[in-house]
Amino acid sequence: MEDRKRYPSDVTDEQWALIGPFLDAWRSRRISVAGRQGEQDLREVVNAILYQNRTGCQWAYLPHDLPQKAVTYYYFALWRDDGTDQTIHDLLRCQAREKAGRTEDPTAVILDTQSIRAANHVPAATTGKDAGKKVPGRKRGLAVDALGLIIAVIVTAASVSDNQIGIRLLDEVAEHTPTVTRAFVDAGFKQDFALHGAVLGIDVEVVTRSDIRPGFVPVKKRWLVEQVNGTLMLHRRLTREYESRPESSVSRTLWASTANIVRRLTGAVTATWR
């Protein structure tokens, strides 16, 4: 990295001090048959992933001074499939909560879904059309805590109902964050979802929008997840579905959230693309 000019999306030394130890530990466990470890600069690989997330460029258009497609995609897919991206994100999220004076795991989450148009090359078998919003593509479901930190993320075809996505999100939350006892949702989540929450020991509260006040009015509790959706949209790779596999879209979301968390932990500010 010393040999090139820094990109705005690159992690700083302070931010790498948060991410690096996890990847160093990951690399130490991956020794080849010949007893060698990989020699690729993992910091530069992370920089390439974050650059692509932020700018939305195609694999072949990664800058020449960053690791190219073959290397970057190899590690992106490897960390996606072995859960390294999820592990890094969740551990950093715990640090962010502790820094804010909260316990490591939340007791309440806010759920929402967002329909996103898919690019032409995305397989039709993994996409659909949101009947309500008339959006062809995929649907991203999020569960976030009171600080706007992502607890669980699901990506499905846009034709999948909010109820089905909500049930899968609750299963993820209950499995990985058993401290959660309450979930706030909008009216799109129906009775089956509430019953599933009761089975898991999670009370579901529907927060409705008030039509009394004119203009834009943030909805109590729900504005947090709406804010997270807006923040994710600053990462251009997430503004449209480009990934062939929904699992890759989940990984993209986790990396975008990780970039936001390390900025929060270090007090850094990255210039918006607007």
Side-chain angles (χ1 to χ4, degrees):
M1 182 175 173
E2 292 78 7
D3 299 331
R4 67 172 178 82
K5 186 177 179 180
R6 184 178 181 277
Y7 292 106
S9 57
D10 285 350
V11 292
T12 63
D13 291 341
E14 190 178 5
Q15 292 168 355
W16 181 245
L18 297 172
I19 300 175
F22 300 124
L23 292 180
D24 289 340
W26 173 86
R27 170 173 273 173
S28 67
R29 297 191 298 269
R30 291 185 55 83
I31 301 177
S32 68
V33 177
R36 299 177 59 186
Q37 294 180 351
E39 298 178 355
Q40 183 65 43
D41 185 347
L42 297 184
R43 178 173 178 175
E44 285 291 77
V45 173
V46 171
N47 284 336
I49 293 173
L50 298 184
Y51 177 94
Q52 192 179 37
N53 253 21
R54 192 76 181 185
T55 65
C57 73
Q58 295 169 288
W59 284 105
Y61 286 83
L62 283 170
H64 293 295
D65 51 3
L66 288 173
Q68 294 303 291
K69 172 184 176 180
V71 173
T72 305
Y73 183 78
Y74 171 79
Y75 283 99
F76 172 79
L78 197 59
W79 293 336
R80 174 198 66 199
D81 295 340
D82 69 8
T84 297
D85 52 4
Q86 179 86 57
T87 300
I88 292 173
H89 174 269
D90 290 351
L91 291 173
L92 290 173
R93 184 193 70 218
C94 291
Q95 291 182 35
R97 286 186 57 83
E98 288 182 332
K99 183 179 179 180
R102 305 291 186 108
T103 57
E104 283 191 2
D105 294 318
T107 58
V109 292
I110 308 98
L111 276 63
D112 196 18
T113 63
Q114 182 181 34
S115 295
I116 304 166
R117 292 182 180 274
N120 293 335
H121 69 275
V122 177
T126 63
T127 63
K129 186 172 184 179
D130 185 329
K133 299 177 182 177
K134 310 300 182 186
V135 175
R138 290 197 180 128
K139 190 179 287 186
R140 181 188 301 127
L142 294 179
V144 307
D145 66 6
L147 298 178
L149 301 173
I150 294 177
I151 305 300
V153 54
I154 297 289
V155 176
T156 69
S159 53
V160 177
S161 70
D162 286 359
N163 251 15
Q164 292 172 286
I165 294 176
I167 287 172
R168 289 179 57 185
L169 281 172
L170 283 185
D171 287 338
E172 291 273 338
V173 169
E175 180 180 356
H176 300 293
T177 318
T179 55
V180 171
T181 59
R182 199 168 189 185
F184 299 95
V185 297
D186 62 24
F189 296 85
K190 307 302 181 182
Q191 186 176 9
D192 289 346
F193 169 79
L195 290 175
H196 189 74
V199 171
L200 297 175
I202 300 175
D203 294 329
V204 174
E205 179 179 334
V206 177
V207 182
T208 57
R209 185 182 302 275
S210 173
D211 295 326
I212 298 175
R213 296 172 58 187
F216 172 74
V217 180
V219 181
K220 181 181 178 181
K221 304 293 185 182
R222 278 172 44 199
W223 72 268
L224 286 161
V225 70
E226 298 287 355
Q227 183 186 58
V228 174
N229 278 324
T231 303
L232 291 177
M233 289 297 99
L234 295 176
H235 299 261
R236 284 189 169 184
R237 189 77 181 191
L238 299 180
T239 60
R240 185 178 289 266
E241 268 299 324
Y242 296 108
E243 308 301 331
S244 297
R245 298 173 53 183
E247 295 86 352
S248 295
S249 296
V250 171
S251 184
R252 290 286 181 190
T253 305
L254 291 173
W255 279 114
S257 180
T258 295
N260 291 338
I261 290 174
V262 294
R263 285 198 294 272
R264 180 181 295 200
L265 286 170
T266 58
V269 177
T270 300
T272 175
W273 49 260
R274 292 181 178 179

